[in-house]
Amino acid sequence: MDGGQPLLSPQEAQHLSPVLLAYVGDAIYELYVRLHYLLPPQRIQAYHRQVVGQVRAEQQSLHLQTLRQHLTEAESAIVRRGRNAATSAPKRVKVSVYQQATALEALVGYLYLTDPARLKVLWQYLVFCDSP
């Protein structure tokens, strides 16, 4: 979460499918959540419980709702592309919730690749509870 240099230009990232952006975003989102819970030191089971509680589709959907008011038009377009790319969902999750989670992951992937500093700014708006 250092806000480093972009890996791709926005134009290059626009050529990536929203599923691919979500694939990258899923990994980055989980890494950010893991880093969030890194301190204070605790047992690995406690880390795992906290992280799993935050990377669930339901929580990601809620986080997207928190961020919506802070998004630019271009970011909102990425969210729409990500949402529309999720056409099915695991049995335990409503399709609409899964679509929102995929949309958040696509946004995270897009910003990680094109504007890590912006991702860091948006990350500050999210609130993480300590219990799943």
Side-chain angles (χ1 to χ4, degrees):
M1 283 185 21
D2 64 359
Q5 295 298 313
L7 299 173
L8 298 175
S9 72
Q11 295 77 18
E12 291 170 318
Q14 286 290 337
H15 293 294
L16 298 176
S17 76
V19 172
L20 187 54
L21 292 173
Y23 178 74
V24 170
D26 177 56
I28 298 306
Y29 181 86
E30 183 165 344
L31 176 62
Y32 277 27
V33 171
R34 286 179 181 217
L35 292 173
H36 176 81
Y37 286 113
L38 197 58
L39 294 174
Q42 53 190 321
R43 295 184 179 270
I44 197 70
Q45 295 87 352
Y47 285 129
H48 180 74
R49 187 185 74 253
Q50 289 174 317
V51 170
V52 166
Q54 296 303 314
V55 299
R56 296 176 56 92
E58 296 85 353
Q59 190 62 38
Q60 289 179 331
S61 177
L62 292 173
H63 282 166
L64 179 61
Q65 299 313 312
T66 298
L67 294 179
R68 279 194 187 276
Q69 65 183 327
H70 305 288
L71 300 181
T72 66
E73 282 187 41
E75 292 163 351
S76 293
I78 294 296
V79 165
R80 282 190 299 279
R81 285 180 61 208
R83 182 194 64 221
N84 293 338
T87 57
S88 63
K91 289 182 181 181
R92 67 168 191 81
V93 180
K94 292 180 183 178
V95 172
S96 62
V97 170
Y98 189 73
Q99 288 173 322
Q100 296 300 309
T102 302
L104 176 67
E105 291 171 348
L107 176 65
V108 169
Y110 176 81
L111 290 175
Y112 178 78
L113 294 171
T114 63
D115 193 351
R118 175 67 175 151
L119 179 57
K120 186 176 181 181
V121 168
L122 289 177
W123 190 257
Q124 301 304 311
Y125 292 113
L126 300 181
V127 176
F128 295 93
C129 49
D130 290 336
S131 60

